[in-house]
């Protein structure tokens, strides 16, 4: 514990001060003409210091040990050269150019190398420009960038390659790769994976959700190619030139892979490899923050002495200046120093969602304007409606008065229509009373009248007087209280009684036949329904009487031969529609469409001296019973004439049909 404390104190506090003092001593010795510190003496000092910092008991006293971090998979293929490995070339050169310093290579996976840099386990490392930018928050500093004779620009040295199996004709562009399976070495590797994903983002897709899944091979490039060839993955990601290097080592792979989004032009010709992405700064040699400056100077001097003529690929050291594009790529992918963008923050939320927030604000502003305008319109409309409502109330009062007046007129007309019905009904009790009165007079003339017969005559008179009084009371009650349309009525019985009354009173000139085998229950007022049936039957009979005599005689003769009555009445129930239909049809002249149209208009009569009140009364009764009235002209082939239909709503009174039928025969037809 105490050792780690002093190590931390030395690295964080004393070493920076020591660096500054050494640097100042070098400057002053140069300016004042003093001889430079002997390299061997400096090395001995650095050896002790580095050993103290590293705490490595195996450090040799004959030289300073320097740990160089390298990636453990890059030896499988070269960077630009098709002959040599860049890591091995740089390592060999440093080992030969730094006497007194022991360059110790340490190989890591990408993730482990980053951890080693953070923990101070290496003094220098050779990695991608993306890895260097990712490590900059930990105080690393670039010493140089490896370039070659083919690519002397250190800002554009490395690219990525995206490839598929050559037989996959369905994969031609980046868009075709969506929702497929990808394979790559390591999600932390800048050259073999991150550059390729940057191209996905550049094409306008979300790199986090573009692929269905990604298979990583634990930093094994050859396994990426094998996954694509075996069909385990649809697309693979590697660094440019890796594909060609592995195809040379595996001739059986040649011709089986195809590059997606392949770039062409002078750069591709100079590179000698296929690639799919933009180019970025190449391999970066960097020093960590705990490395002494004098040691950094020695290593940097040795690195800069790399002669391109001594390497087959023409490697040399330059200095990259455009790390901004690397920075932008990491920011787009939200990795490395920009991994915090994946965490929810107000700033990040505003940055990602500002278009939607602006749209929401615009919609809210538009809604407020709309609300203000709507509020103004509502006030104006409310004022207009209040004025209209006042006018409507005045009109409603006037309409109610007119309706009351019309109801009274309707009631008077119905009472007038009922007079003939009541006269007929009163005729029966009056006739019986007249007969009983005569019988009583005959009995009273006898010296010893039969007391029993006298009592029967008196009882009969009382009964008939009561019956007549009931009839008159019904007339008075209807005239005073109006109709009661909520009663359950047998429509068949009402029609049958109305027909019988007209036939007995000889109000019908022509024969009428009723077709109503079953009782049909509806709700209504028996008085008004009886008036309706009487008017329909009288109109049918009068239509026949209005025909010329010769035409009527011929029509009646033809109907007689066919066994068809001149007036036909039908009452039936339409179960599918839950309606009851009353139809009255009469044979006669064929009606034109104009005549039928005039007939259906309220208040219009086709008779010479008719006022149209009968049809008006029928229409009024139908409407008050919520029924439907329709007219249909009968074709000449069927005998001509008119068919009038009234459709009522049916009442489900199956269990009471017989009971109502019996009662309706006695009193349902009474007004």
């Amino acid at each position: 514990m105490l050792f780690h404390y002093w190590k931390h104190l030395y690295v964080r506090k004393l070493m920076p001060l020591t660096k500054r003092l050494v640097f100042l001593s070098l400057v002053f010795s140069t300016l004042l003409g003093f001889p430079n510190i002997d390299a061997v003496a400096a090395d001995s000092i650095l050896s002790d210091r580095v050993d103290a910092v590293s705490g490595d008991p195996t450090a040799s006293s004959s030289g300073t040990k320097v740990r160089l971090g390298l990636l453990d998979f890059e030896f499988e293929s070269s960077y630009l050269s098709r002959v040599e490995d860049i890591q091995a070339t740089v390592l060999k050169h440093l080992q030969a150019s730094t006497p007194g310093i022991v360059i110790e290579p340490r190989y890591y996976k990408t993730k482990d190398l980053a951890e080693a840099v953070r923990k101070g386990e290496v003094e220098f490392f050779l990695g991608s420009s993306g890895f260097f930018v990712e490590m900059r928050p930990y105080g690393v500093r670039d010493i140089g960038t490896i370039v070659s004779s083919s690519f002397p620009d250190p800002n554009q040295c490395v690219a990525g390659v995206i490839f598929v199996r050559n037989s996959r004709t369905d994969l031609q562009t980046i868009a075709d790769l969506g929702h497929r399976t990808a394979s790559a070495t390591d999600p932390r590797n800048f050259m073999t994976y991150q550059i390729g994903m940057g191209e996905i983002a550049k094409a306008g897709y979300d790199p986090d959700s573009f692929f269905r899944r990604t298979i990583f091979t634990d930093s094994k490039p050859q396994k990426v190619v094998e996954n694509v060839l075996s069909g385990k993955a649809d697309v693979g990601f590697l660094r440019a030139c890796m594909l060609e290097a592995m195809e040379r080592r595996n001739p059986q792979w040649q011709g089986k892979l195809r590059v997606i989004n392949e770039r062409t032009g002078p750069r591709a010709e100079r590179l000698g490899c296929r690639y799919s992405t933009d180019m970025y700064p190449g391999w970066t040699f960097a020093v960590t923050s705990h490395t002494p400056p004098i040691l950094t100077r020695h290593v940097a001097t040795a690195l800069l002495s790399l002669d391109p003529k001594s390497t087959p690929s023409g490697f040399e050291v330059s200095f990259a200046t455009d790390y901004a594009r690397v920075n932008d790529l990491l920011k787009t992918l939200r990795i490395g120093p920009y991994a915090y963008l994946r965490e929810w923050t107000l700033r990040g939320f505003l940055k990602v969602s500002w278009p939607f927030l602006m749209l929401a604000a615009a919609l809210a502003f538009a809604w407020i304007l709309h609300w203000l305008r709507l509020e103004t319109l509502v006030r104006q409309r409310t004022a207009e409606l209040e004025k209209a409502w006042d006018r409507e109330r005045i009109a409603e009062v006037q309409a109610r008065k007119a309706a009351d007046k019309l109801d009274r007129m309707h009631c008077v007309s119905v009472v007038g229509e009922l007079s003939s019905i009541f006269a007929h009904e009163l005729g029966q009790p009056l006739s019986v009373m007249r007969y009983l009165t005569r019988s009583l007079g005959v009995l009273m003339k006898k010296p010893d009248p039969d007391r029993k017969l006298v009592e029967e005559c008196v009882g009969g008179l009382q009964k008939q007087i009561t019956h007549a009084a009931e009839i008159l009371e019904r007339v008075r009650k209807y005239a005073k209280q109006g109709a009661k349309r909520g009663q359950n009525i047998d429509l068949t019985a009402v029609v049958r009684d109305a027909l019988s009354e007209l036939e007995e009173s000889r109000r019908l000139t022509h024969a009428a036949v009723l077709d109503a085998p079953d009782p049909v229950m509806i709700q209504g007022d028996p008085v008004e329904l009886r008036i309706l049936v009487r008017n329909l039957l009288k109109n049918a009979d009068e239509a026949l009487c209005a025909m010329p005599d010769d035409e009527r005689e011929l029509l009646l003769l033809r109907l007689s031969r066919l066994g068809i009555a001149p007036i036909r009445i039908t009452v039936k129930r339409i179960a599918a529609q839950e309606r009851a239909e009353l139809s009255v049809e009469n044979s006669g002249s064929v009606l034109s469409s104009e005549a039928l149209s005039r007939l259906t208009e309220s208040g219009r009569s086709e008779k010479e001296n008719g006022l149209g009140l009968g049809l008006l009364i029928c229409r009024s009764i139908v409407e008050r019973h919520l029924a439907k009235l329709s007219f249909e002209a009968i074709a000449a082939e069927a005998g001509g004439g008119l068919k009038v239909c009234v459709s009522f709503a049916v009442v489900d009174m199956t269990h009471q049909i017989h009971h109502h039928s019996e009662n309706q025969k006695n009193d349902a037809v009474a007004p």
Side-chain angles (χ1 to χ4, degrees), residues 115-135:
E115 189 67 20
V117 171
R118 284 193 291 267
K119 291 182 178 180
E121 296 177 356
V122 295
E123 282 70 52
F124 301 92
F125 66 84
L126 180 62
S128 66
S129 57
F131 182 79
F132 164 69
V133 172
E134 185 177 348
M135 293 293 104

Side-chain angles (χ1 to χ4, degrees), residues 167-380:
S167 58
R168 292 294 301 270
T169 58
D170 57 321
L171 304 178
Q172 299 293 334
T173 64
I174 289 180
D176 299 332
L177 305 179
H179 304 290
R180 307 283 183 174
T181 300
S183 183
T185 59
D186 191 321
R188 297 287 299 273
N189 195 297
F190 179 74
M191 297 182 183
T192 63
Y193 180 67
Q194 294 172 1
I195 291 179
M197 294 308 293
E199 201 67 20
I200 300 296
K202 181 181 175 182
Y205 303 101
D206 182 5
D208 292 334
S209 59
F210 184 69
F211 293 110
R212 182 173 66 250
R213 67 187 184 105
T214 302
I215 303 172
F216 295 104
T217 62
D218 193 22
S219 300
K220 295 180 175 61
Q222 183 168 336
K223 188 64 176 176
V224 175
V225 179
E226 292 175 352
N227 288 339
V228 174
L229 290 175
S230 64
K232 190 175 181 180
D234 301 297
V235 56
F237 289 84
L238 287 175
R239 191 192 68 221
C241 294
M242 273 189 171
L243 199 59
E244 285 77 7
M246 283 188 287
E247 283 181 343
R248 282 193 303 274
R249 293 185 177 90
N250 300 274
Q252 70 275 15
W253 291 355
Q254 293 184 3
K256 294 185 178 180
L257 299 172
R258 175 166 42 85
V259 174
I260 296 293
N261 198 40
E262 184 174 356
R263 304 295 179 90
T264 58
R267 289 182 180 176
E269 294 175 1
R270 290 198 305 270
L271 182 62
C273 304
R274 295 166 291 176
Y275 68 99
S276 309
T277 70
D278 293 338
M279 304 195 80
Y280 294 88
W283 287 91
T284 302
F285 194 94
V287 58
T288 58
S289 61
H290 68 273
T291 306
I294 191 168
L295 182 59
T296 303
R297 186 188 70 173
H298 279 281
V299 174
T301 302
L303 183 67
L304 290 172
S305 67
L306 179 64
D307 187 2
K309 297 179 181 179
S310 65
T311 61
S313 298
F315 290 144
E316 62 179 323
V317 178
S318 183
F319 296 95
T321 58
D322 185 13
Y323 287 107
R325 294 189 301 114
V326 178
N327 204 64
D328 292 341
L329 176 59
L330 298 181
K331 189 174 184 180
T332 299
L333 299 179
R334 297 182 296 171
I335 57 178
Y338 297 99
Y340 71 90
L341 294 177
R342 294 181 178 273
E343 301 175 1
W344 191 95
T345 60
L346 180 59
R347 181 178 178 183
F349 173 76
L350 293 176
K351 184 173 183 180
V352 173
S353 306
W354 73 265
F356 304 101
L357 295 176
M358 290 295 292
L359 178 61
L363 291 176
F365 181 71
W367 182 84
I368 292 173
L369 292 179
H370 173 71
W371 179 79
L372 293 174
R373 180 176 178 273
L374 186 63
E375 188 72 15
T376 303
L377 293 176
V378 167
R379 291 195 187 98
Q380 295 175 354

